[in-house]
Amino acid sequence: IQHRQITEFRMVWGVILVATLAVEGMLIAQFPETQDLSKRKSVENLTLKAIVLDEGKIFKKMVEENQYIKLGLVEAGIGYLSGACLVIFTPWCMAHHGLSQFQMLVY
């Protein structure tokens, strides 16, 4: 069933991804709220690459200076990894041991 969902909706998810990236690119490039105060007047001179690199530097500086953000990112990463492991482990365990979904839920 999962294979069918992936193959049948591949085009839909591709269109959604392209539209999302296009909107995000336009928001970063066009809105002055995303720029520094000193750069707001010269938005036309910046390329998308320069804007992305500048935002990356600001994010890196913020993470390096704030311990709570650093720990929050580590916590989120570990949480996502454990969720990914469960997504793989649960169906494997069901197939390997012949368990139903309810039995897996109880275990």
Side-chain angles (χ1 to χ4, degrees):
I1 293 175
Q2 292 175 350
H3 181 338
R4 279 196 135 164
Q5 289 175 344
I6 291 171
T7 57
E8 290 178 4
F9 292 103
R10 187 180 303 153
M11 187 64 158
V12 174
W13 290 116
V15 169
I16 291 171
L17 176 65
V18 169
T20 303
L21 291 175
V23 168
E24 184 178 4
M26 287 187 290
L27 289 174
I28 290 172
Q30 296 298 322
F31 284 120
E33 291 85 11
T34 61
Q35 311 301 321
D36 262 352
L37 290 174
S38 61
K39 295 180 181 178
R40 284 189 186 182
K41 295 177 183 172
S42 62
V43 171
E44 296 83 19
N45 298 334
L46 293 177
T47 63
L48 183 60
K49 182 179 176 181
I51 294 170
V52 169
L53 289 175
D54 187 46
E55 290 293 325
K57 289 177 189 175
I58 292 170
F59 181 75
K60 181 181 175 185
K61 179 182 169 190
M62 184 175 59
V63 169
E64 288 174 349
E65 291 178 356
N66 194 331
Q67 180 182 1
Y68 295 112
I69 293 176
K70 204 182 299 186
L71 294 174
L73 288 173
V74 169
E75 179 187 8
I78 291 171
Y80 292 138
L81 284 174
S82 68
C85 290
L86 284 177
V87 165
I88 295 169
F89 176 74
T90 304
W92 176 83
C93 200
M94 287 171 59
H96 191 264
H97 297 293
L99 301 173
S100 67
Q101 286 182 341
F102 179 74
Q103 289 170 327
M104 279 303 298
L105 179 66
V106 172
Y107 288 124

